[in-house]
Amino acid sequence: MIRTILHYPDKRLREKARPVAAVTPEIQGLVDDMAETMYAAPGVGLAATQIGEPVQVFIVDIAEEGQKSQLTVFINPEIVAAEGELTWTEGCLSFPGVQEDIDRAAKVTVRALDRDGRPFTLTAEGLLAVAIQHENDHLRGELMIDHLGPLKKRLVHRKMQKRLEDPHP
Ligand code: GNR
Ligand code: NI
């Protein structure tokens, strides 16, 4: 089922996600809804927080259109190593129409459980590393604008506020 993606400044985007106690069929159903929602959007990642479910689950698929999909599911993720720096022009499904340059670690190692509850460790660079950090932020209630300076942050806040006042299609 496709779920509704919350848009900033919805307060639920600021909730801290709780760990998943066990990877139950209910959690797997949530993962499947998230995948359907992400592909429909479309986006390269989605955190459960963005659909109003404050649990530690996010998904990423950086395959381009026409390529074979490479969905990766992260449950109770933990970034255990980060190194280097890079700047990426990021978007967020919770900030429609917004694109900003954000500084991140260039390379991250993340430990998580997969959709079957099995632990895995993944080291990522480039867009995958960026997406993992972006989604991990969502689970902590942090958003891309929190990485901007005060002037840019205010500008984006105003743009989103205005969008709320005169709704777009
Ligand atoms: O679809 C998305 N694209 C994207 C591009 C650059 C850096 C991060 C992202 S994540 C975003 C989907 C989203 O909002 N995930 O939380
Ligand atoms: Ni996002």
Side-chain angles (χ1 to χ4, degrees):
M1 185 179 80
I2 294 180
R3 307 282 202 98
T4 303
I5 297 175
L6 305 177
H7 290 167
Y8 180 89
D10 194 306
K11 280 202 170 73
R12 289 169 287 178
L13 290 169
R14 291 301 190 181
E15 281 183 41
K16 287 184 198 356
R18 61 180 181 274
V20 170
V23 182
T24 56
E26 190 190 349
I27 290 295
Q28 292 174 331
L30 171 65
V31 167
D32 297 345
D33 281 359
M34 287 172 63
E36 209 181 326
T37 305
M38 177 182 73
Y39 290 125
V44 301
L46 189 71
T49 321
Q50 290 179 280
I51 57 166
E53 302 275 4
V55 291
Q56 290 180 17
V57 178
F58 69 73
I59 59 174
V60 170
D61 189 342
I62 61 159
E64 284 174 43
E65 224 185 291
Q67 286 185 325
K68 191 168 177 282
S69 68
Q70 33 184 280
L71 182 69
T72 312
V73 177
F74 301 79
I75 298 171
N76 297 345
E78 202 182 337
I79 294 178
V80 294
E83 62 178 78
E85 282 178 52
L86 98 176
T87 304
W88 203 279
T89 307
E90 298 192 16
C92 180
L93 295 171
S94 297
F95 290 81
V98 173
Q99 284 206 320
E100 294 291 342
D101 289 349
I102 310 278
D103 301 325
R104 302 272 187 191
K107 186 175 174 180
V108 294
T109 301
V110 57
R111 283 178 47 105
L113 304 177
D114 67 16
R115 192 185 173 280
D116 300 316
R118 281 190 265 268
F120 68 98
T121 303
L122 176 76
T123 297
E125 294 178 272
L127 174 58
L128 186 56
V130 169
I132 287 168
Q133 291 170 82
H134 177 114
E135 303 314 336
N136 196 58
D137 275 4
H138 275 302
L139 298 186
R140 299 186 308 181
E142 290 178 15
L143 301 168
M144 57 184 274
I145 54 165
D146 302 334
H147 293 269
L148 301 174
L151 293 174
K152 273 193 175 166
K153 184 170 180 170
R154 181 153 188 79
L155 218 66
V156 173
H157 174 83
R158 283 202 173 144
K159 180 173 177 175
M160 292 302 297
Q161 201 67 46
K162 193 161 180 201
R163 202 178 179 283
L164 200 64
E165 285 155 18
D166 7 271
H168 287 52

